[in-house]
Amino acid sequence: MFVDSHCHLDFPDFASRMPELLANMRDNQVTHALCISVTLEAFPNVLALAETHPNLYATVGVHPDTEDVSEPSVEQLVALADNPRVVGIGETGLDYYRLNGRSIADMEWQRERFRVHIAAARQTGKPLVIHTRASAEDTLRLMAEEQAGEAGGVMHCFTETWDVAKRALDLGFHISFSGIVTFKSAADLQETAKKVPLDRMLIETDSPYLAPVPYRGKTNQPAWVRHVGECIATLRGLPLEQVAEQTTDNFFRLFNKIER
């Protein structure tokens, strides 16, 4: 069986499709999916999915690249995470991809937001879901400085180098691969996927984005996490069942508030 460790089922793409998505999950042996929060404004919708469907769970957080939204406090995140259906903090992290004329020094608001999430994760004991784009050095630096390893977590939709992966692993984090790893253009990422210890690996869709081959370009969905697992198994020369079982075990060990 498989688990989609990161998806956005509250997005408008899925507004009328939940019965279909859940049926497709069952047909592809995807037993659970983690619905990820990107703003406090949208968090009630994420939580509602988790409270309505027993195999869906939620996180709480504000995406690093989201502006003009409510800024979270540690106390607010801790309070919202005090719900058995909320099993993680994030997604959080740093994203310097769209500076829009600003310098990296100007992005201190992102770094402070990241610190707030790390503090909340440490207080709640719930793992972090970390996004990093064009910001790996600062992401890893803050993780170390703020002792993010006390909470643990996952580097989601990983696209960085093996060196970055190893440093994140050394901090106690898991590495999650999305449909990007199935792309022909992702040769370097595929090499990294061969090296990450199998007992520290997760798989995800990041639905509705990044649909894997053979669905590239379409609206992604949790059922298709199976294709990420198939790609990992092929790259590593392992039975699909072994990759499915290990990544699922890893998910439940990391997000240990979920009853399996």
Side-chain angles (χ1 to χ4, degrees):
M1 63 181 182
F2 303 88
V3 169
D4 183 359
S5 67
H6 191 113
C7 59
H8 300 281
L9 299 187
D10 63 306
F11 281 17
D13 310 68
F14 303 124
S16 61
R17 296 183 57 195
M18 285 308 299
E20 171 198 351
L21 297 180
L22 294 169
N24 289 345
M25 285 173 63
R26 288 192 296 271
D27 290 345
N28 285 275
Q29 296 180 297
V30 180
T31 62
H32 295 73
L34 183 56
C35 300
I36 304 296
S37 169
V38 295
T39 67
L40 294 181
E41 286 82 354
F43 171 70
N45 296 329
V46 178
L47 182 60
L49 286 170
E51 291 182 328
T52 302
H53 305 286
N55 61 333
L56 302 182
Y57 284 82
T59 66
V60 61
V62 180
H63 192 285
D65 196 30
T66 306
E67 301 185 61
D68 300 320
V69 295
S70 297
E71 198 64 42
S73 67
V74 175
E75 295 75 19
Q76 188 175 20
L77 290 174
V78 169
L80 293 173
D82 188 23
N83 181 310
R85 306 302 296 181
V86 178
V87 299
I89 303 295
E91 65 184 281
T92 183
L94 300 175
D95 192 323
Y96 299 160
Y97 184 71
R98 297 183 185 88
L99 292 176
N100 296 325
R102 296 168 293 190
S103 70
I104 289 175
D106 294 329
M107 307 306 282
E108 181 59 27
W109 62 272
Q110 277 197 13
R111 293 185 285 275
E112 181 56 31
R113 182 184 287 179
F114 191 18
R115 293 185 187 100
V116 165
H117 283 76
I118 294 172
R122 291 177 61 195
Q123 284 193 33
T124 61
K126 295 184 176 183
L128 289 153
V129 177
I130 294 183
H131 167 111
T132 182
R133 190 178 188 192
S135 57
E137 286 300 321
D138 272 3
T139 300
L140 291 166
R141 176 178 61 82
L142 285 179
M143 288 167 64
E145 289 178 358
E146 302 297 324
Q147 302 176 61
E150 286 189 5
V154 57
M155 309 297 287
H156 111 86
C157 192
F158 193 80
T159 56
E160 302 291 338
T161 63
W162 166 240
D163 177 67
V164 172
K166 187 176 185 305
R167 291 163 66 188
L169 290 164
D170 289 345
L171 288 170
F173 279 72
H174 290 63
I175 306 294
S176 180
F177 293 97
S178 70
I180 293 174
V181 78
T182 71
F183 299 172
K184 288 182 179 180
S185 58
D188 290 345
L189 183 62
Q190 291 169 358
E191 289 302 311
T192 298
K194 294 178 185 179
K195 296 178 181 178
V196 171
L198 195 58
D199 65 353
R200 300 284 291 284
M201 182 186 293
L202 299 181
I203 55 177
E204 64 173 91
T205 62
D206 205 9
S207 303
Y209 310 117
L210 305 175
V213 174
Y215 300 106
R216 188 173 182 181
K218 298 183 182 298
T219 300
N220 205 358
Q221 60 176 289
W224 295 348
V225 76
R226 177 187 192 93
H227 296 281
V228 181
E230 289 173 348
C231 179
I232 299 290
T234 299
L235 288 170
R236 299 179 68 123
L238 296 173
L240 176 59
E241 294 76 12
Q242 182 178 351
V243 172
E245 180 179 1
Q246 185 67 69
T247 55
T248 297
D249 287 348
N250 298 343
F251 175 83
F252 286 108
R253 186 175 66 250
L254 177 61
F255 295 99
N256 57 19
K257 304 299 182 182
I258 301 176
E259 291 187 13
R260 188 166 182 175

